[in-house]
Amino acid sequence: MRYSQYFIPTLKETPSDAEVISHQLMLRAGMIRKVAAGIYDYLPLGLRSIRKVENIVREEMNRAGAIEILMPMVTPAELWQESGRWDFYGKELLRFRDRKDGEFCLGPTHEEVVTDIVRREVRSYRQLPLNLYQIQTKFRDEIRPRFGLMRGREFIMKDAYSFDVDSSAADISYDKMYQAYRRIFERCGLRFRAVEADTGSIGGTSSHEFMVLAESGEDAIVSCNCCDYAANVEKAEARISEVTAHVEPRPLEKVATPGKKSIEEVSAFLDVPSSIMVKTLVLLADDEPVVALLRGDHDLNEIKLKNLLGCETLEMAPDEIVLKVTGAQPGFAGPVGLAVKIVADLVVRGMRNFVTGANETDMHLKNVNLERDCAVKAFADIRNVSQGDPCPRCEGGAMELWRGIEVGHVFKLGTKYSQALKATYLDADGKEQIIFMGCYGIGVGRSVASCIEQNHDENGIIFPIPIAPFHCIISTVNYAKEEEVRKASDAIYEQLLSAGVEVLLDDRDERPGIKFKDADLIGIPLRIVVGAKNLVEGKVELKHRATGEMELLLVAEAVEKVKAAVAEALKK
Ligand code: 9G3
């Protein structure tokens, strides 16, 4: 491709409303342009990278035995009503009516649509296992779309769905997808971790998220520094710490703590460490008050508590509820004397003589001991794991906290959708059985964006060859004026093209500095600089964008090196 005839609208300035580096660089490199909140044009360079990721995904899905289909973006309300999700989802599900007043939505995911295909077409166990996938545009009306393609409203997703005769067969399908995902993200040049994850609203029994490690990631994950345990913090198990050695319970003591509400304030005022304090949180679970107890230096994991209580909604109680439940202003709540359900974190069970609110404004209690002072019905792991916590799976390992960008998510769905839509098969005895499902998503745009989050420097993007828009760029010095430069550049261009290298010839009538800056900004991995001075010795410069390494080579050598580097990077 010749740059002068292509369409790469690069920007010098960083757009003000782009907060993360990948969003900034994708705008500046002329890869995307915003049409509306969370809705983007994919310009030529952006589309080329998107298509590269799609092709890697497609190859690995096909290799894993999945079969490609394409389902509609517009889906009928009836299917969503059968699964019960039409009313479950709020405004995130973009609903509309057609000209005949029929109700539809823009597909945010396709469990219902694909299960409808299978319930109509699959009748026998001989047709299973079956894995159908698509690479298709989804729409989710996010309240706050941001970070460019990282959290858009319209986005390209690969979504796959597996169908099996039973749970153990479904596990085999799940594992095939899990391995295919590892290959996909390795081939995309991403540094990622697969982590145990909560299944969230989709239901099902278990799931893993594939997280690209990046400081700008919205997800918090932990991994053990010894074994291969890794989990989203939403799900990570906090190891049950050993109960403190037997300590004599001391007499309860009420102390004045005027205006001291937070753990930090009370800890400083009473000169006690937060680790011998207990924070008492008042929440509303499906609008019913519930109290959670955690050690002062631990944080509540609302997903764990929500899963434990089995409630639909869980939020911190407003001040007036706290006052009603505890009789005190917020900041002085404690478990002693409360008449509501209390759930205590496992660590609290091992605590003795701890400090907590007195359920009296401006007062706290010292030397509280659960058995003596208040009845706690339920103990459970309801806290977020912290950096350095002991690993729950191995002896000696410790938890390390990371930020991650979720680029893939695989779920064991069980029979939630096949039950709801009556997708069954006849087994070898002719008996009707329910189908077991799995579902598997990859964010295509998010994969490109997270690759940029992981691979950039102050000059711009540093694409790994497999998903770079072009493999090589030829930056020419005075292409228009210097006959020698033009001849050599065109020759190198033709040789690389005929070798299957995707090459961009920068033949613009621009100053070299502009060309070099653009080449760095758009992140093309290999660059050949053709200038009259080096051509006198029959040489050109070869620059590796990732390492900055610059070599002065004979033209033929440079062409061979580029071909070899590309072949090496694309080996599957
Ligand atoms: C909705 C809306 C938003 C949603 C969903 C449904 C997320 C929804 C979870 C999934 C699960 C898997 C197949 C590919 C992999 C992920 N947001 N999820 O189900 F109606 Cl508005 O999408 N689906």
Side-chain angles (χ1 to χ4, degrees):
M1 194 56 70
R2 291 175 179 272
Y3 205 122
S4 63
Q5 290 147 28
Y6 206 47
F7 180 51
I8 306 176
T10 54
L11 302 173
K12 275 191 182 41
E13 300 308 315
T14 297
S16 57
D17 66 340
E19 295 161 72
V20 296
I21 188 68
S22 59
H23 187 193
Q24 294 166 1
L25 291 176
M26 291 181 86
L27 289 168
R28 286 196 51 217
M31 293 178 72
I32 59 172
R33 282 293 181 272
K34 179 171 140 182
V35 179
I39 298 177
Y40 289 87
D41 298 312
Y42 300 111
L43 301 187
L45 292 189
L47 183 60
R48 286 178 74 98
S49 282
I50 289 274
R51 292 292 185 243
K52 297 268 178 96
V53 171
E54 288 178 355
N55 290 336
I56 290 172
V57 167
R58 182 171 283 113
E59 280 176 10
E60 293 304 333
M61 295 305 289
N62 295 344
R63 190 205 306 244
I67 304 166
E68 188 167 7
I69 61 172
L70 182 60
M71 291 181 268
M73 207 185 149
V74 172
T75 62
E78 291 74 13
L79 287 177
W80 292 83
Q81 286 155 349
E82 277 194 74
S83 69
R85 292 210 287 181
W86 184 256
D87 299 319
F88 176 76
Y89 280 92
K91 292 191 169 181
E92 196 186 354
L93 186 64
L94 185 60
R95 304 168 177 84
F96 57 93
R97 288 181 179 278
D98 69 1
R99 61 189 308 165
K100 294 177 182 155
D101 225 18
E103 285 191 290
F104 294 84
C105 68
L106 287 187
T109 183
H110 282 69
E111 280 80 8
E112 286 82 356
V113 180
V114 76
T115 305
D116 179 46
I117 298 174
V118 169
R119 73 174 169 184
R120 282 190 266 117
E121 309 303 337
V122 170
R123 295 306 312 142
S124 159
Y125 70 100
R126 290 190 191 83
Q127 294 171 276
L128 300 175
L130 176 65
N131 182 323
L132 300 174
Y133 79 93
Q134 65 174 347
I135 300 176
Q136 188 238 25
T137 300
K138 297 279 187 286
F139 192 89
R140 293 178 184 175
D141 205 351
E142 301 268 354
I143 294 178
R144 276 194 64 217
R146 53 192 180 146
F147 302 167
L149 299 191
M150 284 248 269
R151 181 167 290 281
R153 290 194 290 166
E154 179 181 287
F155 56 96
I156 297 171
M157 182 201 276
K158 184 286 299 175
D159 45 323
Y161 305 86
S162 60
F163 303 89
D164 281 282
V165 293
D166 59 24
S167 178
S168 55
D171 288 351
I172 293 167
S173 295
Y174 185 90
D175 189 56
K176 272 185 184 172
M177 286 291 98
Y178 186 98
Q179 298 312 324
Y181 273 47
R182 295 179 58 79
R183 282 197 298 273
I184 287 166
F185 297 123
E186 277 157 14
R187 288 183 60 189
C188 288
L190 293 171
R191 291 180 296 287
F192 67 94
R193 286 297 303 263
V195 302
E196 293 182 23
D198 188 57
T199 54
S201 62
I202 187 73
T205 54
S206 73
S207 79
H208 285 82
E209 286 165 341
F210 286 77
M211 292 287 186
V212 166
L213 305 178
E215 274 318 299
S216 58
E218 290 184 314
D219 290 276
I221 61 177
V222 285
S223 66
C224 174
N225 60 7
C226 257
C227 71
D228 61 2
Y229 177 66
N232 188 310
V233 165
E234 288 177 352
K235 165 129 183 148
E237 295 159 31
R239 189 194 184 96
I240 304 169
S241 59
E242 51 294 335
V243 175
T244 46
H246 184 71
V247 172
E248 273 310 302
R250 287 198 291 273
L252 210 51
E253 187 189 337
K254 195 188 281 189
V255 290
T257 51
K260 306 299 173 200
K261 301 180 178 181
S262 71
I263 291 287
E264 294 69 28
E265 287 169 334
V266 174
S267 164
F269 183 74
L270 297 180
D271 190 22
V272 295
S274 58
S275 59
I276 71 149
M277 294 183 62
V278 164
K279 64 173 79 165
T280 304
L281 304 174
V282 183
L283 300 106
L284 291 177
D286 290 347
D287 297 330
E288 282 301 309
V290 67
V291 161
L293 303 185
L294 291 121
R295 201 174 80 183
D297 56 335
H298 288 160
D299 294 318
L300 172 66
N301 181 311
E302 294 197 19
I303 299 269
K304 289 181 181 177
L305 182 56
K306 191 158 173 277
N307 289 342
L308 178 83
L309 297 171
C311 53
E312 290 291 332
T313 61
L314 178 71
E315 65 246 339
M316 300 310 286
D319 289 359
E320 61 272 15
I321 300 285
V322 175
L323 186 58
K324 195 159 128 275
V325 165
T326 67
Q329 288 299 325
F332 302 97
V336 181
L338 280 193
V340 297
K341 175 176 177 138
I342 299 177
V343 178
D345 180 63
L346 293 173
V347 169
V348 174
R349 178 157 59 191
M351 292 176 72
R352 302 285 179 273
N353 298 320
F354 57 77
V355 175
T356 190
N359 290 327
E360 204 178 312
T361 304
D362 291 339
M363 303 299 277
H364 274 75
L365 288 176
K366 292 176 77 169
N367 303 327
V368 177
N369 287 278
L370 284 185
E371 300 75 23
R372 181 190 66 189
D373 303 328
C374 69
V376 171
K377 294 267 181 312
F379 287 94
D381 169 10
I382 57 170
R383 71 182 173 90
N384 279 339
V385 298
S386 324
Q387 174 85 14
D389 273 5
C391 174
R393 294 286 167 76
C394 76
E395 287 309 315
M399 293 284 92
E400 291 176 340
L401 268 174
W402 308 85
R403 305 298 300 180
I405 303 165
E406 178 194 333
V407 290
H409 200 159
V410 292
F411 295 77
K412 286 181 185 172
L413 270 185
T415 59
K416 174 175 176 178
Y417 294 89
S418 43
Q419 195 82 47
L421 275 71
K422 298 178 185 45
T424 60
Y425 68 94
L426 295 178
D427 65 14
D429 305 326
K431 191 162 171 297
E432 188 153 54
Q433 305 287 357
I434 198 77
I435 285 175
F436 279 74
M437 290 176 64
C439 64
Y440 317 89
I442 289 180
V444 173
R446 192 180 274 187
S447 296
V448 174
S450 59
C451 176
I452 295 170
E453 288 291 326
Q454 281 193 334
N455 300 284
H456 65 271
D457 63 12
E458 64 284 359
N459 299 317
I461 301 168
I462 303 176
F463 270 116
I465 286 179
I467 64 170
F470 287 93
H471 302 140
C472 177
I473 184 166
I474 301 171
S475 300
T476 63
V477 180
N478 290 330
Y479 180 85
K481 301 184 190 65
E482 298 272 357
E483 170 71 20
E484 285 309 302
V485 169
R486 200 161 49 251
K487 270 184 2 195
S489 304
D490 289 352
I492 293 168
Y493 178 64
E494 290 309 328
Q495 285 167 37
L496 289 176
L497 269 187
S498 56
V501 173
E502 293 175 19
V503 52
L504 181 62
L505 169 57
D506 191 348
D507 58 348
R508 290 176 295 169
D509 192 2
E510 286 280 359
R511 285 185 292 104
I514 299 276
K515 294 185 179 181
F516 298 155
K517 276 193 178 309
D518 278 341
D520 282 345
L521 173 61
I522 65 180
I524 308 305
L526 299 165
R527 181 199 319 170
I528 291 179
V529 178
V530 182
K533 190 165 51 65
N534 289 326
L535 273 183
V536 166
E537 300 161 31
K539 292 185 177 179
V540 291
E541 281 175 3
L542 172 58
K543 178 179 176 185
H544 299 259
R545 178 75 180 89
T547 61
E549 181 198 351
M550 181 84 86
E551 301 171 89
L552 195 52
L553 302 165
L554 290 170
V555 169
E557 282 174 348
V559 168
E560 283 318 303
K561 281 218 165 188
V562 166
K563 285 160 63 173
V566 171
E568 177 60 27
L570 297 184
K571 257 187 340 196
K572 291 166 196 166

